Amino acid sequence: MEHIIKNGFVYCPQNGVDGEKMDICIKDGKIVEQVSSDANVIDADGKIVMPGGVDPHTHIAGAKVNVGRMYRPEDSKRDVEAGQSGGRAGSGFSVPSTFMTGQRYAQMGYTTAMEAAMPPLLARHTHEEFHDTPIIDHAAYPLFGNNWFVMQYLKDGDIDGCAAYTSWLLKATKGYTIKIVNPGGTEAWAWGGNVHGIHDPTPYFDIESFDIIRGLAEVNEMLGLPHAIHLHCNDLGHPGNFETTLASFDVPKGIKANPQTGSRDAVLYATHVQFHSYGGTSWRDVVSEAPTVADYINKNDHIVFDVGQVTLDETTTMTADGPMEFDLHSLNGLKWANCDVELETGSGLVPFIYAARAPVPALQWAVGIELFLLTKDAGKVCLTTDSPNAGPFTRYPRVISWLMSNKARKDLIDGELHKWAQRKSSVATLDREYSFLEIAQITRSTPAKVLGLSDTKGHLGVGADADVAIYNFNPETQDQSVDYRALESAMQHAAYVLKDGQIVVKDGTVTNPTLRGRSYWVDTSVDETIYNEVLANVEKTFKQYYSVNFANYPVQDEYLPHSAPVKGVMQ
């Protein structure tokens, strides 16, 4: 099938296209130089054209997400959609059902989304939900930061053994990258404790967060993985945590990026940094330290981060940071779920209401916006809400309107937000407005590059996957800084979305709800002798401690009908 998208205002940062009026040609699912005269013509005159959106950090599939759906029936009632032709009905505002998840992303022009926390033992469940999620390409990040094998190998100083184990676990779980959540802290939670700083010891293993971050960063580059280590720092959500955040950022500094695919140059991806940028000593004297954190990021090139922007909604928090969820439950008194995943990780869930007129949520909103506006290079920042933790991904269009319109921010600050947003942050003094090119960076090209997918994702150059979003907003006749509500509406319901060259959304309505996306995972090669020694050790430990047999652990190929392995080689 051939398409030609004619006369749109194209924004493609990777290829230096900034609003130029041009045609985009598509053939057999790829962007091409030209098409025949028989190509289907899509009129984009007066509309914005961007690559399909790429979400590098969200929570959309797996055990904790499914617990969230069952645990909060009240959330399901807030967004309900009847089944469409060929598709199924769905529900859920902050934790949508699988079908709703794929459709809502597609309606916004997003075509790739990454599940940011997969317990290895429960990987099969995650892939089952991916298979049930339409349209979007996807991958899952296995959790390594509290894994007994990882901590033992690093404690012994055996980096090669840790790399071989990491290679095996990525293949066994069909995982994509090294995810680290509150390193050492979730293991400490199994003993009723936590880890707050990078030099606090983890119980039993007596290893520091510093050692876990540094060791896994070295392993990441030894294996030539496409993505940088994906770090959720210690001490999330606590006043005064910015010092731990900056110390954590420094740990992998000096390690050289070595991706075998893609073109990333960062060795650290720091996630939901808004939750890690607080000063003060308690919630009484808490202040924003976003300017300090943004200044660090502006001065260092080894780091890319996402914000985790608070959207001022009622939502469902969920994370492998078990002790943080207990703290949150103790703070708001709402219901709490908690789980320990054998030798690997844990998780917790708590509902949360980010009320605009409450002091702390207002400040958290301000901290996130400060991080966006004070980070000078849009090539270092990705738009996320850590969905659903700071708000659902369906609020991305609203966040974009805040970034592109100072008036939108002022209307909110002056009309609805608690005064803490002004008193305890600099947000009211910032008048920067993002351009459409910068929006395309933080939602497309920057996440694609740091994920190692920039050869085919996040751009509209020849050879890219034909993932395209067309928005009904004319930058020549409409002013997004004034008419920010029209901008939000256009971004919420795209005029057209094409996935692999197929039209999946037209006029904001999903037209192809049965299309399935790729499952990316990493297939690395390591020294065979070390690999076999490590596997023998892992199998022995399985018999001692795991509730499943070693042979039943790996995810079979049948669970990934649209498997897309990314190769890596140990250096």
Side-chain angles (χ1 to χ4, degrees):
M1 183 68 180
E2 294 180 319
H3 300 279
I4 181 166
I5 301 170
K6 292 189 72 67
N7 294 321
F9 296 103
V10 177
Y11 295 90
C12 181
Q14 185 169 320
N15 293 294
V17 180
D18 185 8
E20 182 181 343
K21 227 176 181 185
M22 56 191 296
D23 300 339
I24 301 294
C25 297
I26 294 169
K27 182 178 181 180
D28 298 334
K30 293 287 185 181
I31 305 294
V32 295
E33 287 277 7
Q34 58 185 11
V35 289
S36 71
S37 58
D38 295 332
N40 175 52
V41 177
I42 298 175
D43 182 9
D45 188 40
K47 297 180 176 62
I48 286 172
V49 179
M50 290 184 180
V54 179
D55 190 342
H57 186 105
T58 184
H59 299 284
I60 54 173
K64 70 180 182 308
V65 178
N66 209 37
V67 169
R69 295 182 186 119
M70 294 185 291
Y71 173 81
R72 296 204 65 211
E74 69 274 20
D75 184 77
S76 291
K77 296 166 61 177
R78 297 182 61 201
D79 190 4
V80 179
E81 185 161 311
Q84 301 177 36
S85 177
R88 297 205 313 263
S91 66
F93 174 68
S94 67
V95 199
S97 57
T98 52
F99 232 74
M100 283 273 282
T101 296
Q103 294 191 24
R104 290 288 185 259
Y105 265 114
Q107 287 171 310
M108 298 190 305
Y110 274 71
T111 51
T112 304
M114 302 300 201
E115 165 53 53
M118 177 171 71
L121 183 60
L122 305 173
R124 197 172 280 111
H125 183 169
T126 305
H127 289 289
E128 286 175 328
E129 293 202 356
F130 277 156
H131 183 49
D132 205 44
T133 303
I135 302 173
I136 53 175
D137 291 339
H138 47 257
Y141 304 163
L143 293 153
F144 283 86
N146 293 276
N147 182 295
W148 285 19
F149 293 101
V150 168
M151 290 190 287
Q152 190 62 54
Y153 281 121
L154 293 180
K155 180 181 179 180
D156 295 342
D158 186 355
I159 290 290
D160 288 344
C162 189
Y165 172 76
T166 300
S167 174
W168 171 77
L169 194 70
L170 286 168
K171 281 187 280 195
T173 62
K174 301 293 189 289
Y176 190 74
T177 194
I178 295 174
K179 177 67 185 296
I180 307 168
V181 172
N182 188 8
T186 303
E187 173 59 22
W189 179 234
W191 304 81
N194 195 1
V195 168
H196 294 283
I198 63 171
H199 296 298
D200 288 355
T202 303
Y204 178 71
F205 292 96
D206 196 26
I207 187 172
E208 298 178 354
S209 172
F210 175 94
D211 302 314
I212 297 170
I213 298 170
R214 182 78 189 185
L216 286 174
E218 292 176 0
V219 165
N220 196 83
E221 305 311 327
M222 289 171 67
L223 294 174
L225 300 186
H227 188 30
I229 58 166
H230 197 105
L231 177 63
H232 158 148
C233 295
N234 299 113
D235 218 20
L236 181 148
H238 293 139
N241 63 9
F242 81 102
E243 293 180 342
T244 293
T245 301
L246 297 181
S248 302
F249 289 175
D250 254 351
V251 174
K253 196 173 179 180
I255 296 174
K256 186 179 178 182
N258 180 43
Q260 296 303 295
T261 59
S263 57
R264 74 166 165 89
D265 42 25
V267 295
L268 172 64
Y269 182 97
T271 189
H272 39 66
V273 173
Q274 176 274 131
F275 288 118
H276 301 273
S277 300
Y278 306 151
T281 60
S282 72
W283 288 117
R284 289 183 180 276
D285 65 359
V286 64
V287 294
S288 170
E289 287 291 349
T292 308
V293 175
D295 182 61
Y296 177 97
I297 293 166
N298 288 333
K299 293 176 179 174
N300 289 277
D301 293 328
H302 69 286
I303 181 171
V304 170
F305 77 105
D306 73 65
V307 170
Q309 176 62 39
V310 164
T311 65
L312 304 171
D313 286 292
E314 176 181 326
T315 191
T316 310
T317 68
M318 55 179 64
T319 174
D321 194 339
M324 190 287 295
E325 289 288 15
F326 176 72
D327 290 346
L328 197 59
H329 160 72
S330 302
L331 189 68
N332 70 9
L334 298 179
K335 54 188 176 181
W336 167 53
N338 180 70
C339 180
D340 179 71
V341 186
E342 302 196 9
L343 282 63
E344 300 177 344
T345 183
S347 68
L349 283 89
V350 178
F352 198 83
I353 302 170
Y354 292 99
R357 296 195 182 282
V360 172
L363 176 60
Q364 291 176 306
W365 176 89
V367 170
I369 296 295
E370 282 183 298
L371 288 169
F372 276 120
L373 299 181
L374 294 172
T375 301
K376 297 176 182 176
D377 182 358
K380 290 184 176 181
V381 56
C382 300
L383 189 160
T384 72
T385 60
D386 184 21
S387 181
N389 285 298
F393 65 82
T394 49
R395 292 299 195 206
Y396 288 175
R398 183 162 298 174
V399 177
I400 289 171
S401 74
W402 288 331
L403 297 180
M404 299 194 76
S405 170
N406 190 29
K407 182 177 187 309
R409 300 195 297 270
K410 284 191 172 300
D411 287 351
L412 181 65
I413 292 169
D414 295 339
E416 296 183 49
L417 275 187
H418 189 278
K419 297 304 179 188
W420 269 28
Q422 297 186 57
R423 292 176 187 168
K424 293 173 174 283
S425 83
S426 65
V427 71
T429 68
L430 303 174
D431 59 4
R432 178 184 172 188
E433 294 179 334
Y434 269 53
S435 67
F436 281 110
L437 188 71
E438 289 174 314
I439 292 298
Q441 281 183 276
I442 65 173
T443 59
R444 272 85 173 164
S445 60
T446 301
K449 181 178 179 180
V450 75
L451 286 167
L453 295 173
S454 56
D455 289 345
T456 55
K457 299 294 183 187
H459 74 100
L460 295 173
V462 172
D465 290 343
D467 298 349
V468 188
I470 304 173
Y471 299 106
N472 194 13
F473 193 93
N474 188 329
E476 283 191 343
T477 61
Q478 293 176 277
D479 184 349
Q480 66 278 0
S481 65
V482 177
D483 199 1
Y484 58 85
R485 290 187 177 85
L487 173 69
E488 180 182 343
S489 178
M491 292 283 177
Q492 195 82 56
H493 302 287
Y496 280 94
V497 179
L498 290 88
K499 173 70 174 63
D500 290 322
Q502 298 189 50
I503 297 174
V504 294
V505 172
K506 185 177 181 182
D507 297 328
T509 301
V510 175
T511 58
N512 190 351
T514 60
L515 183 70
R516 291 294 185 273
R518 301 174 184 83
S519 295
Y520 290 109
W521 60 282
V522 170
D523 183 9
T524 58
S525 298
V526 299
D527 181 273
E528 191 171 347
T529 301
I530 299 174
Y531 189 76
N532 290 334
E533 288 175 358
V534 165
L535 248 59
N537 178 48
V538 171
E539 186 170 5
K540 179 182 175 183
T541 306
F542 258 73
K543 290 177 180 176
Q544 287 180 295
Y545 296 111
Y546 265 96
S547 64
V548 299
N549 289 325
F550 180 71
N552 292 334
Y553 190 80
V555 175
Q556 294 89 344
D557 292 341
E558 288 75 9
Y559 281 79
L560 285 75
H562 304 286
S563 176
V566 178
K567 296 289 184 180
V569 179
M570 186 170 175
Q571 300 293 299

